């Protein structure tokens, strides 16, 4: 992200969690003496966390909440298993963006089973709880998996507005209670291992912000972004031990990430956890000869200039991606297809500015999306042709 003209890139850090056991200080343990509200209960994320509450925290009263026209119940096998454990399951439907409806629902809970926990899952524009991996199945250009660049005008804003209304309604309904419930906010992790759904990413950021706000006010809250491979109730064990308001829940393939790091294709988010091999610097033709780049360029004929400029772009592009040779870069292939993201594109722009003494804008790499086009742009800027 850009903040005050500074480029900031998030990095993952390994959380110190207790694995396989329930921490006695876990706030969710208090839910065993009351009711847990599961909002978006028809979705996979919500259902998985409900199972976690039942099996890990001894919750025996669940209120499954769905939207009008939606069946918030669970499948027969799960219902039978819960019944054996003595779990009482109630279902209800109401508009999740209507604070009055939510408040009335919570006030109707039995006095001996007050609300102790709320599990809220970010909904998608189609009105459903987002299932991890759905974007990958539908494709980046599909309605369910569009990146920012591929999103229809207004799509992200409309989804954020709808999610903000649901958060406001839930906030008003729970603020009216004598004791604040434990708040767990779920969303599908977007962009953790490559381009992801822009709506998922935006909704996740919104929930992260709310969880931090609740934590700062002294209320127990955590926002969890869940990756597709993180399945089963056990993945949520020990999440409060990290002491963080926002966490990514993942079970990554470490070997696969290591291979991507070796090839220079590791997503920036993982570079704090996966060791990235030291990049070899590509030997650039003409470097260190004393003359300025423009002087060397002017001294060449037309074909020589074109060749030098293209070699310059290819060499620096290879370095920005961590390759040892410019030969792996196709001059006519788009930078995004080669694996460039905003950070590596900025690195390429900066290194080209250093060599040419130009002051090209941050978006120049994607404005001229292939090495050949960028080389032609450099010719125009340097030679006026």
């Amino acid at each position: 992200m850009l903040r005050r003209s500074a480029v900031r890139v998030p990095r993952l850090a390994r959380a110190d969690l207790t694995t396989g056991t329930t921490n006695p200080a876990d706030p969710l343990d208090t839910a065993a003496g009351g009711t847990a509200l599961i909002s978006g209960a028809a979705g996979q994320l919500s259902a998985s966390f409900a199972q976690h509450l039942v099996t890990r925290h001894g919750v025996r009263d669940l209120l499954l909440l769905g939207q009008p026209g939606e069946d918030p119940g669970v499948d027969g096998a799960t219902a039978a298993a819960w019944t054996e454990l003595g779990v009482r399951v109630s279902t209800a439907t109401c508009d999740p963006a209507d604070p009055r409806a939510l408040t009335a629902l919570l006030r109707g809970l039995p006095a001996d089973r007050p609300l102790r926990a709320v599990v809220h899952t970010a909904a998608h524009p189609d009105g459903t709880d987002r299932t991890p991996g759905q974007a990958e199945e539908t494709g980046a250009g599909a309605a369910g998996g569009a990146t920012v660049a591929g999103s229809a005008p207004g799509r992200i804003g409309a989804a954020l507005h709808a999610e903000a209304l649901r958060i406001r309604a839930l906030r008003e309904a729970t603020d009216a209670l004598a004791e604040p419930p434990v708040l767990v906010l779920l969303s599908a992790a977007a962009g953790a291992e490559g381009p992801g759904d822009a709506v998922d990413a935006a909704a996740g950021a919104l929930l992260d912000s709310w969880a931090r706000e609740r934590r700062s006010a002294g209320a127990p809250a955590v926002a969890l972004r869940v990756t597709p491979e993180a399945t089963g109730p056990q993945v949520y064990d020990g999440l409060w031990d990290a002491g963080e308001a926002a966490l990514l829940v993942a079970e990554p393939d470490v070997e696969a990430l290591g291979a991507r790091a070796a090839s220079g294709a590791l997503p920036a988010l993982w570079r704090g956890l996966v060791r990235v091999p030291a990049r070899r610097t590509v030997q650039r033709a003409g470097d260190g000869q004393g003359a300025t780049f423009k002087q060397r360029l002017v001294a060449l004929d037309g074909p020589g200039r074109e060749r030098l400029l293209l070699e310059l772009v290819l060499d620096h592009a290879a370095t920005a991606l961590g390759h040892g040779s410019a030969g792996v870069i196709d001059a006519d292939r788009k930078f995004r297809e080669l694996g460039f993201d905003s950070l590596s594109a900025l690195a390429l722009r900066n290194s080209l500015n250093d060599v040419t003494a130009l002051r090209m804008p941050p978006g120049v790499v994607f404005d001229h999306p292939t090495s050949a086009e960028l080389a032609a742009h450099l010719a125009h800027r340097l030679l006026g042709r």
Side-chain angles (χ1 to χ4, degrees):
M1 68 180 72
L2 284 173
R3 183 176 293 170
R4 294 182 180 179
S5 300
V7 178
R8 300 177 184 270
V9 181
R11 293 287 190 271
L12 292 174
R14 189 180 300 278
D16 183 14
L17 302 179
T18 300
T19 304
T21 61
T22 302
N23 188 331
D26 194 322
L28 284 173
D29 288 342
T30 63
T35 299
L37 172 68
I38 312 296
S39 176
Q44 178 181 317
L45 285 179
S46 298
S48 176
F49 204 89
Q51 182 70 12
H52 172 76
L53 291 176
V54 169
T55 58
R56 305 293 188 179
H57 297 281
V59 173
R60 291 299 177 261
D61 287 280
L62 296 175
L63 175 55
L64 309 183
L65 179 63
Q67 301 186 67
E70 178 183 83
D71 179 11
V74 295
D75 61 82
T78 300
W82 285 357
T83 299
E84 273 191 38
L85 293 172
V87 178
R88 289 174 290 200
V89 179
S90 303
T91 61
T93 58
C94 75
D95 181 357
D98 184 348
R100 292 183 179 180
L102 278 175
T103 300
L105 179 67
L106 299 184
R107 285 178 177 171
L109 291 175
D112 62 338
R113 300 197 296 272
L115 186 69
R116 290 289 181 252
V118 173
V119 179
H120 170 79
T121 304
H124 215 58
D126 60 4
T128 63
D129 167 357
R130 183 72 163 159
T131 299
Q134 184 178 344
E136 289 81 356
E137 294 170 6
T138 57
T147 60
V148 172
S151 294
R155 174 177 177 266
I156 300 173
L160 274 180
H161 178 67
E163 188 61 35
L165 291 178
R166 287 187 285 269
I167 290 175
R168 185 186 68 176
L170 192 54
R171 181 202 303 270
E172 291 185 16
T174 54
D175 282 351
L177 301 173
E179 183 178 342
V182 180
L183 187 63
V184 178
L185 307 173
L186 302 174
S187 63
E193 297 183 10
D197 190 294
V199 167
D200 288 337
L206 192 62
L207 296 184
D208 289 351
S209 177
W210 189 25
R212 292 188 178 101
E213 177 188 324
R214 294 270 298 187
R215 281 278 186 109
S216 65
V222 66
L224 307 175
R225 303 199 198 192
V226 187
T227 59
E229 77 282 350
T231 58
Q234 74 282 352
V235 299
Y236 303 113
D237 288 344
L239 60 90
W240 296 96
D241 295 344
E244 298 289 341
L247 296 169
L248 177 76
V249 180
E251 292 184 317
D253 185 334
V254 178
E255 290 186 5
L257 289 173
R260 295 181 70 177
S263 67
L266 183 70
L269 198 63
W270 292 93
R271 290 175 187 168
L273 290 177
V274 181
R275 185 177 179 181
V276 180
R279 292 180 173 182
R280 290 177 291 167
T281 302
V282 179
Q283 182 64 40
R284 300 181 180 93
D287 280 359
Q289 293 184 358
T292 68
F293 182 81
K294 186 172 181 179
Q295 287 173 332
R296 286 186 276 117
L297 188 65
V298 171
L300 299 173
D301 59 13
R305 293 171 181 173
E306 292 179 4
R307 184 167 54 254
L308 179 61
L309 287 169
L310 183 57
E311 288 176 354
L312 175 74
V313 174
L314 293 175
D315 287 347
H316 283 264
T319 299
L321 290 178
H323 298 307
S325 169
V328 300
I329 305 296
D330 185 338
D332 296 314
R333 192 175 178 188
K334 292 185 176 181
F335 288 119
R336 289 191 185 277
E337 295 175 356
L338 291 170
F340 274 87
D341 55 18
S342 57
L343 184 64
S344 51
L346 191 64
L348 174 57
R349 187 285 303 252
N350 290 344
S351 64
L352 290 176
N353 275 350
D354 290 343
V355 173
T356 62
L358 293 173
R359 290 296 175 262
M360 295 182 289
V364 68
V365 170
F366 293 136
D367 289 340
H368 306 277
T370 69
S371 297
E373 291 177 63
L374 186 54
H377 176 68
L378 289 176
H380 175 73
R381 290 290 301 271
L382 290 166
L383 303 172
R385 61 185 70 177

